[in-house]
Amino acid sequence: MDRVDTKISKFLSYVLRHQPESIGLVLDSEGWVDIGTLIKCAAKHGKRLNYALIEQVVATNDKKRFAISEDQKRIRAVQGHSTKLVDIGYQEKIPPVILYHGTATHFLDSIFKQGLVAGTRHYVHLSADQSTATKVGQRHGKVVILKIEAQLMYEHGFKFHQADNGVWLIKSVPVEYMRII
């Protein structure tokens, strides 16, 4: 993605995951909004978007954060919401044996006191591979990777979900199911 696409991706993340009301958007309970409405609301707040540009950002986003509906009329963020208006009904799935979580070293004390918690988001995000977890953790400082005993958690009754972009979602991860790699 180039610099313009990155700025637009960040803007879309902000309004589709966290603050839709900041530009007058109203998302449905599954996070969808009409693309035409998004374009109009963005324009009223100084952001110039068009369908082709939105489609390009959706197609080239390396983390596949967004989806366009089958009828090509709506867009949503596929996971990562902090707005209480959205509650995507993800299907429960059986996780792989191990999942990973990338974080920064300065969060470790807190994590090992309370486990991994969703905080302002709806879910804790987990990755199926260490390289993705590393990329995520690098955004926050010196990276550390946590290995999560996902299959064991599932066997103990924890519910896992997977977003359209492959990110694994869970409400929390207790300390006893994780270790530093």
Side-chain angles (χ1 to χ4, degrees), residues 35-103:
I35 293 173
T37 302
L38 169 63
I39 292 169
K40 287 176 192 167
C41 288
K44 289 178 186 176
H45 290 83
K47 290 283 185 190
R48 299 189 71 190
L49 300 176
N50 60 53
Y51 187 85
L53 188 56
I54 291 170
E55 190 175 49
Q56 177 180 320
V57 169
V58 170
T60 61
N61 185 271
D62 60 338
K63 294 181 181 166
K64 303 295 180 203
R65 283 193 169 119
F66 314 106
I68 293 178
S69 62
E70 287 185 23
D71 65 5
Q72 306 295 301
K73 293 180 180 180
R74 299 177 301 151
I75 186 173
R76 75 172 176 185
V78 296
Q79 44 69 230
H81 299 88
S82 63
T83 177
K84 300 298 181 212
L85 303 173
V86 175
D87 187 17
I88 296 175
Y90 299 107
Q91 290 282 85
E92 186 177 335
K93 289 187 82 176
I94 299 172
V97 174
I98 301 295
L99 288 169
Y100 302 93
H101 182 79
T103 190

Side-chain angles (χ1 to χ4, degrees), residues 1-14 47 49 53 56-58 60-63 65-66:
M1 267 196 319
D2 67 19
R3 205 166 99 79
V4 171
D5 287 356
T6 299
K7 281 187 168 188
I8 293 168
S9 178
K10 287 182 179 190
F11 172 74
L12 291 177
S13 286
Y14 180 69
K47 290 283 185 190
L49 300 176
L53 188 56
Q56 177 180 320
V57 169
V58 170
T60 61
N61 185 271
D62 60 338
K63 294 181 181 166
R65 283 193 169 119
F66 314 106

